Every structure is written in structure tokens, then in C-alpha cells.
Amino acid sequence: MSFKFPKLLIGVMFVLLCCGVAFSQSDASNRAPGSPDDDPKKDQPKSFREMMAKARAAREKKEYEEMLKRGDEALKLSRLLEVSFEQHSALTDQDRARLDALEKTIQKIRKGLGS
């Protein structure tokens, strides 16, 4: 009777191991949404993907142009402030308004850069 228990225990462990291996294997129909193998872009027609790529490129170009415009505006304001401060050695009310505008422009630039 003492020999039957270890053999039974080994048999049960083997069956459990086989069940674990069988259940751990999965096919594509059992994958969770959002898994790396689940790519919705593959399901879209090629013309739609091209249209989305063109729209994204146009949007990025527009954002780039806006960023350049803001940079030029910030440069212009900072030069005006520098010249005015060199002449008067103090900030006038107009300079303070320019400084506020410069601060807002810089904040927009930083926000656009993601910081």
C-alpha cells in the first residue's frame, strides 16, 4: 500500500502538468484586444491608411509652421526688450506688456514641445 501512494501522486502531478501545458497554449482567436499581435491598422484598406498618413503629415507641417512663427515672434519680442532696456535701463509699461506677451509665447512653445 505504501508503494501505491507515490505512484498515484506522480500520476496526478503528470496529469496536472499536461493540463497546464495544454491550457497555456492559445490561438489568435483567444488573444485579448490590445495585445501586440492585434493590429487594427492591418484591417484597414491601403487607401485609407495613405489618406490618414497624408492628413497626419499635413497636421504635423501646420504645427511645425506655427512653432516657427512663435519662435520668430519670441525672438522679435526679446530683441525689442533688449534694445529698450539698454536705452532706458528700466522696463516701461510697454516693455512689461511685451514681456507678458513673450512669456505667453514661450509657454505656448513649451506646451507644443510637450514639456
Side-chain angles (χ1 to χ4, degrees):
M1 187 153 156
S2 64
F3 290 108
K4 289 183 182 180
F5 183 70
K7 289 182 181 180
L8 181 64
L9 183 63
I10 291 173
V12 169
M13 288 177 65
F14 180 73
V15 170
L16 289 175
L17 179 67
C18 290
C19 289
V21 169
F23 284 118
S24 67
Q25 296 179 2
S26 64
D27 59 356
S29 63
N30 292 339
R31 299 210 190 275
S35 65
D37 295 333
D38 186 27
D39 189 9
K41 292 181 181 178
K42 291 181 181 177
D43 296 337
Q44 298 171 346
K46 183 179 179 183
S47 61
F48 181 75
R49 289 189 307 239
E50 289 174 353
M51 181 181 65
M52 293 300 291
K54 287 179 183 178
R56 183 177 58 249
R59 184 178 63 245
E60 289 174 356
K61 182 178 179 182
K62 181 181 174 187
E63 290 173 358
Y64 175 75
E65 294 295 329
E66 287 176 3
M67 190 68 69
L68 286 178
K69 188 172 103 177
R70 288 180 183 143
D72 290 339
E73 182 182 346
L75 181 63
K76 178 182 142 191
L77 287 171
S78 64
R79 286 185 177 160
L80 288 173
L81 285 168
E82 182 181 7
V83 168
S84 178
F85 188 76
E86 286 176 355
Q87 290 175 353
H88 302 111
S89 298
L91 292 177
T92 63
D93 291 336
Q94 186 180 14
D95 292 338
R96 291 183 194 277
R98 287 180 183 156
L99 189 61
D100 289 338
L102 177 63
E103 183 180 1
K104 289 178 184 178
T105 303
I106 297 296
Q107 286 177 350
K108 288 179 184 178
I109 290 172
R110 291 184 67 200
K111 185 178 178 183
L113 293 174
S115 55

